[in-house]
Amino acid sequence: ECKTIIAISEPISVCRTGGNIFTRRYKAPKETNYRQIEKQILDDVLDEKVYDPRIRPAGENTTDGPSMVYVNVFVRSFSKIDDVKMEYSFQITLRQQWNDKRLRFKEKLAEMGVEEDKIRYLTMTEASKVWMPDTFFRNEKIGRFHSILTPNLYVRVFPGGDVLYSIRVSLICTCGMY
């Protein structure tokens, strides 16, 4: 059964086939699902046939060269200085950045027809999926990563293969206070 409705300037026929006037007559342009594209890129780049997080990234200009890791420490707070135990407690945000050419996805964006400003980086919350530098605090007595609801960390992978790792850490360190 069909009915005719007069709308603005021309009649429109509506039949009982589901949907409404506007979904059948005026199709909205399909929006790009960037989250789905990000997932697809991560799946492609981190595929175990392509990427092994146990292997360190190639160094600059050569595979045998060192992997350069840039470190940034933001001191969030000093909570205690104990001159009797010769230790101090503090909380930091530790950021490390390096380049892993195996994680580049700039070409994938171009292949998919995605503009670079639409996906500036991919964010992960599982650090174990990518190679991590072996960073330590030489005078650390006790160290703790924050994990209230979820771990307080993120890994960002940029189109050129740069990796930014950021984590919140609380430390108790020794200090000779003679």
Side-chain angles (χ1 to χ4, degrees):
E1 173 184 325
C2 295
K3 296 180 183 177
T4 301
I5 298 174
I6 308 268
I8 303 170
S9 63
E10 61 181 275
I12 299 172
S13 295
V14 179
C15 301
R16 295 182 190 230
T17 58
N20 65 36
I21 277 178
F22 301 106
T23 58
R24 282 195 310 273
R25 181 98 195 264
Y26 304 104
K27 297 277 184 193
K30 188 175 180 184
E31 290 187 31
T32 305
N33 185 344
Y34 291 107
R35 293 286 179 224
Q36 189 64 33
I37 292 171
E38 288 175 12
K39 180 192 177 311
Q40 183 180 349
I41 291 170
L42 276 172
D43 289 345
D44 290 348
V45 170
L46 295 174
D47 182 31
E48 58 188 44
K49 294 177 186 138
V50 177
Y51 187 82
D52 186 349
R54 299 171 299 174
I55 309 230
R56 105 179 142 76
E60 291 184 25
N61 300 325
T62 176
T63 305
D64 296 334
S67 298
M68 301 299 288
V69 178
Y70 301 93
V71 179
N72 173 308
V73 176
F74 174 73
V75 178
R76 301 175 72 83
S77 67
F78 268 95
S79 54
K80 182 179 168 186
I81 299 174
D82 189 333
D83 59 344
V84 175
K85 292 182 179 177
M86 291 194 281
E87 65 185 26
Y88 58 98
S89 305
F90 63 106
Q91 188 179 113
I92 61 169
T93 298
L94 173 67
R95 286 186 155 191
Q96 300 175 92
Q97 187 169 357
W98 63 92
N99 186 279
D100 190 339
K101 292 178 178 134
R102 301 171 296 171
L103 297 174
R104 284 186 289 198
F105 63 91
K106 193 178 230 179
E107 295 81 22
K108 289 189 185 307
L109 290 175
E111 287 171 13
M112 296 174 151
V114 177
E115 297 170 25
E116 265 190 68
D117 65 328
K118 296 293 183 185
I119 298 180
R120 294 188 346 233
Y121 53 81
L122 304 173
T123 303
M124 303 172 11
T125 54
E126 280 187 74
S128 63
K129 298 248 183 201
V130 296
W131 175 84
M132 284 289 153
D134 183 20
T135 307
F136 62 92
F137 294 87
R138 189 177 64 161
N139 59 338
E140 172 209 355
K141 286 174 85 176
I142 299 172
R144 172 173 78 82
F145 298 123
H146 291 258
S147 175
I148 300 189
L149 297 175
T150 61
N152 283 179
L153 70 87
Y154 66 80
V155 178
R156 286 185 180 162
V157 181
F158 293 85
D162 284 335
V163 180
L164 174 65
Y165 172 63
S166 180
I167 188 164
R168 198 170 115 198
V169 184
S170 287
L171 296 160
I172 298 175
C173 294
T174 61
C175 180
M177 298 179 193
Y178 305 113

